[in-house]
Amino acid sequence: MTEVIETVWIPMPDGVKLAARLWLPDGARQTPVPAILEYIPYRRRDRTRMRDESMHPHFAAAGYAAIRVDIRGYGDSEGVAEDEYSHQEIQDGHDVIQWIADQDWCDGNVGMFGKSWGAYNSFQVAATRPPALKAIAPVMGCDDRWREDIHFYGGCLANDNFWWGSIMQLYNAMPPDPAIVGADRWEQMWRERLEAMRFWPAMWLEHQTHDEMWRRGSICENYADVEVPVYFFGGWADLFRDTPFRIAEHLRGPVKVLMGPWAHLYPHEGSPTPKADFVAEVIRFWDHWLKGRDTGLMDEPPLRFWLQDSVAPAGSQADRPGRWVEEVRWPSPNVSDRVLWLNPDELGDEPKGGSDMSVCSPQTFGSAGGDMCSFAIPGDMPTDCRSDAGGALQLRGTPLEAPLEILGQPRVDLRVSADRQQGIAAVLLIDEAPDGAQTLITRGFCNLTHRLDDTAPAPVVPGEEMAVTVPLHGIGYRVPAGHRLVLQIASAYWPILWPAPEPVTLMLRSGNSALHLPVRTSTRNAPEPRPLPDPPKREGRRPVTRVRDGSMERSIHADLTTGLETQRFFLDGGVFGPVGDLRLDDIGTVLGDISDRRYTIHAADPLSARATMEQEARFTRDDWKVRIKTYAEQTATATDFHLTARIECWSGDELFFENAQDFTIPRNGM
């Protein structure tokens, strides 16, 4: 029998108290057990409550104290939030682990896990070496905030920087729950948060180079700091596709990796399928490292990847066929470098001279790209790359005589010149079927002003040839016989990347640039990987009732009178999908979330780029009623970024707080 304690207060050394929810297995107060920590923001009682029930009670049933802690300034915890992965957040995490280890229901052994933010801070807290922390299981997270997070892809400004920062504009404004913190103080705590808020997209744009802000929280700065065993869970449709290869190569302690076809979801919720039973898998991991049981998990090959089969391009993928493959280490002796040369109009096994190749992409190039990080929301995956092909330099290989298995991180070494002092190169590796359909395999980007150093952008000398390496995101993909490899090279990639200030023409000299492919050779006589069955249907999900229907729109609109193209993603239902308003039946809270994201640009004018985000959140229960509305906008001139942020908050029917800010931030190679 599991005991659930709805609110536990954890004191920090400075007097701030963090709110937690605790699941204790039967008998833990008499015989202490190991503990599992999840440490993330958002609303503990509302926004994550349904998801909590899919994991924590099952950890408790397996003999672990499971504890879910709100980060300082979020949910029902006291204090204010400063930024993602602040020094205070990580120190608090360290102190929380010590507090857990000191409780009479804990035997002194603690594990830590989390998805996304919780994966990052699992790495980061582990790097502080709390003595009680024995193992971590990061899910869909990253070791390097500069190279792979949402801010600067290949040194290029990602529009995800604006999008995620705007989402956090809303989340940072969420109130605590009066039923938890008290009806007499929740508004005071809420106002403290609101008055301390900063607009994160502007704050992040103050740091357009690889400086200390991005080194903070990046364990790649010193992998030796992480000594505990790590089990990393990731997905090819997620954003963080390179981290598993880096940690497998550089972490000194035991490392396991499970990379499925999944979007930004837990593997037991995984889409595209096949799913994997994350709960059972991670319990085997905890049992080994926290209870000292030989579960056989660590005797298996440490690295397991879903090698995806080719599929027709589609913005939504419910299932991704393929097979599991295993590697004993990384770099793998089963993976070798295959070089294909960028020759006139073709990818060839040998370099060929010829006329120079050039491209000046329309600013709308990239409309088939979907989102960099899929959440398995319909329409967020890349569509047919043929729809963009006219705006790129396209090089096609010959039809493959045998299947080609790619596993790892491809790269393209370019010898390239540009006609402007600033520009970007976007490179797409594509699987072209015999009928001409083009499915994206992987992609990568390079800010040409960062070609030498990410800390000191250097203007391009127009016309001067440069040696530039464009790393493509890690992937596991099997290209069938009869298909072709295609490379598209472009000088813009909207709306994933913010454009350079001017249209740029890139020039490549034939036969001087090359694609490097990590090609896997199937290992003979290798044992079949252990099957990963679908997760069972587990009891315990909290009951909810839909009280208002929602809707969704994902569209591209071309205004033929102005030439402007707008990509829109409207979602009424928020993190739960297009479900409208939901009532959490056990506590009676009704939740509502609406977001409207728009990216607009003119094909001929990079300075027409405009990003906007409007959001609304509502919480209603008995006599508690809260409404929050936010608006964010980003534009740019040739020299500056311009950002606007507005927020309005209501308590009941009264306007409780409002604020409007405008920012002008000089461009620095972006």
Side-chain angles (χ1 to χ4, degrees):
M1 189 70 178
T2 298
E3 178 186 359
V4 182
I5 299 96
E6 283 293 334
T7 305
V8 175
W9 294 105
I10 304 177
M12 294 292 98
D14 63 356
V16 167
K17 291 182 290 186
L18 305 187
R21 193 176 183 211
L22 177 63
W23 294 257
L24 287 179
D26 187 36
R29 296 188 184 277
Q30 291 76 41
T31 304
V33 296
I36 306 300
L37 166 66
E38 185 184 20
Y39 176 55
I40 58 176
Y42 322 129
R43 288 195 56 81
R44 179 175 55 86
R45 270 175 61 84
D46 297 336
R47 196 166 292 272
T48 59
R49 191 177 182 88
M50 290 189 296
R51 200 229 45 206
D52 282 351
E53 301 307 318
S54 73
M55 293 181 290
H56 291 283
H58 305 293
F59 296 154
Y64 293 92
I67 185 165
R68 162 81 162 73
V69 178
D70 295 350
I71 289 172
R72 177 186 296 240
Y74 292 102
D76 300 311
S77 287
E78 297 176 347
V80 297
E82 301 168 352
D83 189 7
E84 297 176 309
Y85 326 124
S86 68
H87 291 295
Q88 185 66 62
E89 174 189 332
I90 304 311
Q91 182 59 52
D92 284 350
H94 181 104
D95 294 336
V96 164
I97 288 173
Q98 185 58 54
W99 180 89
I100 293 171
D102 290 342
Q103 302 310 297
D104 59 7
W105 39 259
C106 180
D107 68 2
N109 295 297
V110 180
M112 189 173 180
F113 84 105
K115 179 174 76 72
S116 196
W117 193 313
Y120 271 91
N121 65 26
S122 292
F123 277 132
Q124 295 155 3
V125 171
T128 69
R129 298 175 178 146
L133 185 63
K134 299 301 192 294
I136 63 172
V139 182
M140 310 288 171
C142 185
D143 64 333
D144 189 333
R145 295 182 65 202
W146 176 260
R147 279 191 288 183
E148 204 182 2
D149 200 3
I150 57 173
H151 308 286
F152 299 97
Y153 302 145
C156 307
L157 175 61
N159 274 329
D160 281 352
N161 185 81
F162 170 82
W163 164 75
W164 176 243
S166 298
I167 286 179
M168 292 309 300
Q169 179 190 20
L170 181 68
Y171 284 5
N172 288 340
M174 298 290 187
D177 190 327
I180 298 297
V181 304
D184 58 340
R185 64 189 295 254
W186 76 272
E187 284 190 335
Q188 176 187 348
M189 290 177 63
W190 190 21
R191 187 174 295 278
E192 181 184 11
R193 293 179 185 182
L194 293 169
E195 291 178 346
M197 276 179 60
R198 299 177 65 187
F199 185 51
W200 286 6
M203 181 174 71
W204 293 334
L205 275 179
E206 296 285 357
H207 300 265
Q208 296 174 39
T209 61
H210 189 180
D211 63 10
E212 178 57 32
M213 182 178 192
W214 308 116
R215 292 190 174 94
R216 184 189 76 228
S218 295
I219 64 158
C220 66
E221 297 294 323
N222 186 12
Y223 284 111
D225 286 340
V226 178
E227 297 176 337
V228 297
V230 174
Y231 197 166
F232 181 89
F233 297 81
W236 298 128
D238 184 47
L239 178 60
F240 309 118
R241 304 159 203 151
D242 296 331
T243 290
F245 298 108
R246 289 194 296 262
I247 63 172
E249 180 175 0
H250 296 295
L251 287 182
R252 297 179 182 179
V255 175
K256 284 192 70 68
V257 165
L258 183 67
M259 283 292 290
W262 310 304
H264 195 70
L265 302 166
Y266 276 98
H268 61 286
E269 303 165 339
S271 181
T273 57
K275 296 178 171 68
D277 192 348
F278 168 76
V279 173
E281 190 74 4
V282 79
I283 286 173
R284 291 182 75 207
F285 181 66
W286 302 137
D287 282 353
H288 183 98
W289 293 108
L290 275 66
K291 292 184 177 179
R293 295 178 179 171
D294 183 4
T295 64
L297 183 71
M298 303 309 293
D299 297 329
E300 300 169 1
L303 313 177
R304 180 184 286 217
F305 305 97
W306 184 253
L307 195 67
Q308 301 177 115
D309 286 342
S310 175
V311 293
S316 303
Q317 299 278 357
D319 177 70
R320 192 60 191 257
R323 74 182 198 278
W324 291 110
V325 298
E326 294 178 325
E327 300 292 344
V328 296
R329 63 180 181 274
W330 199 264
S332 169
N334 302 321
V335 176
S336 59
D337 181 39
R338 178 178 176 183
V339 180
L340 293 174
W341 294 88
L342 280 57
N343 297 325
D345 300 322
E346 70 168 16
L347 292 174
D349 291 321
E350 301 293 335
K352 295 180 182 178
S355 58
D356 291 344
M357 302 177 287
S358 66
V359 61
C360 181
S361 302
Q363 300 304 312
T364 50
F365 180 87
S367 61
D371 290 337
M372 279 296 289
C373 179
S374 170
F375 285 79
I377 297 173
D380 70 1
M381 292 188 179
T383 55
D384 197 324
C385 296
R386 285 181 295 183
S387 63
D388 278 332
L393 174 64
Q394 182 165 264
L395 308 173
R396 301 170 72 234
T398 58
L400 295 175
E401 296 180 359
L404 181 72
E405 296 186 353
I406 301 169
L407 180 62
Q409 299 160 281
R411 76 174 195 273
V412 177
D413 292 335
L414 295 177
R415 300 289 297 188
V416 63
S417 63
D419 65 345
R420 296 290 185 268
Q421 290 188 322
Q422 189 174 328
I424 62 178
V427 179
L428 282 64
L429 179 62
I430 293 163
D431 166 15
E432 184 181 88
D435 65 0
Q438 293 187 341
T439 300
L440 181 70
I441 299 174
T442 186
R443 55 194 163 190
F445 317 108
C446 178
N447 182 340
L448 298 179
T449 69
H450 283 241
R451 65 196 181 279
L452 302 175
D453 191 346
D454 282 327
T455 64
V460 172
V461 178
E464 180 178 281
E465 190 172 80
M466 302 168 283
V468 174
T469 295
V470 184
L472 309 187
H473 282 292
I475 196 66
Y477 194 101
R478 184 178 186 270
V479 187
H483 286 221
R484 299 174 188 260
L485 289 175
V486 174
L487 208 63
Q488 289 183 2
I489 301 173
S491 57
Y493 201 58
W494 180 265
I496 285 175
L497 303 181
W498 194 267
E502 300 176 275
V504 177
T505 298
L506 303 179
M507 184 76 70
L508 278 74
R509 195 143 44 90
S510 299
N512 274 26
S513 300
L515 165 66
H516 292 262
L517 289 174
V519 175
R520 184 178 189 271
T521 303
S522 296
T523 53
R524 295 181 179 179
N525 302 321
E528 284 294 317
R530 168 176 57 89
L532 291 178
D534 287 341
K537 291 184 178 180
R538 293 185 170 95
E539 299 297 326
R541 285 189 176 274
R542 295 282 174 148
V544 298
T545 300
R546 184 183 298 191
V547 298
R548 184 183 62 83
D549 290 338
S551 63
M552 186 184 78
E553 176 188 332
R554 190 182 288 270
S555 62
I556 301 177
H557 173 74
D559 187 330
L560 300 181
T561 65
T562 64
L564 292 173
E565 181 179 285
T566 299
Q567 293 202 31
R568 184 189 190 201
F569 178 34
F570 172 85
L571 182 61
D572 182 353
V575 295
F576 305 111
V579 296
D581 290 355
L582 294 177
R583 183 177 65 241
L584 305 182
D585 294 337
D586 60 338
I587 58 176
T589 304
V590 176
L591 310 177
D593 289 87
I594 299 175
S595 65
D596 192 351
R597 180 182 76 194
R598 300 179 191 231
Y599 295 125
T600 299
I601 201 164
H602 191 289
D605 182 11
L607 298 183
S608 67
R610 181 172 180 259
T612 64
M613 185 81 165
E614 294 183 77
Q615 300 175 96
E616 180 176 345
R618 299 178 303 278
F619 304 90
T620 305
R621 185 184 64 240
D622 300 329
D623 59 350
W624 181 48
K625 184 168 71 172
V626 166
R627 183 161 65 103
I628 306 166
K629 294 185 70 174
T630 65
Y631 176 79
E633 178 181 298
Q634 180 174 305
T635 60
T637 65
T639 57
D640 300 294
F641 290 105
H642 296 277
L643 295 96
T644 295
R646 297 196 300 268
I647 183 169
E648 296 174 330
C649 302
W650 287 265
S651 177
D653 296 323
E654 299 294 324
L655 183 64
F656 180 77
F657 181 87
E658 62 179 332
N659 188 31
Q661 295 176 286
D662 295 299
F663 305 87
T664 298
I665 301 169
R667 298 177 76 148
N668 183 17
M670 293 293 160

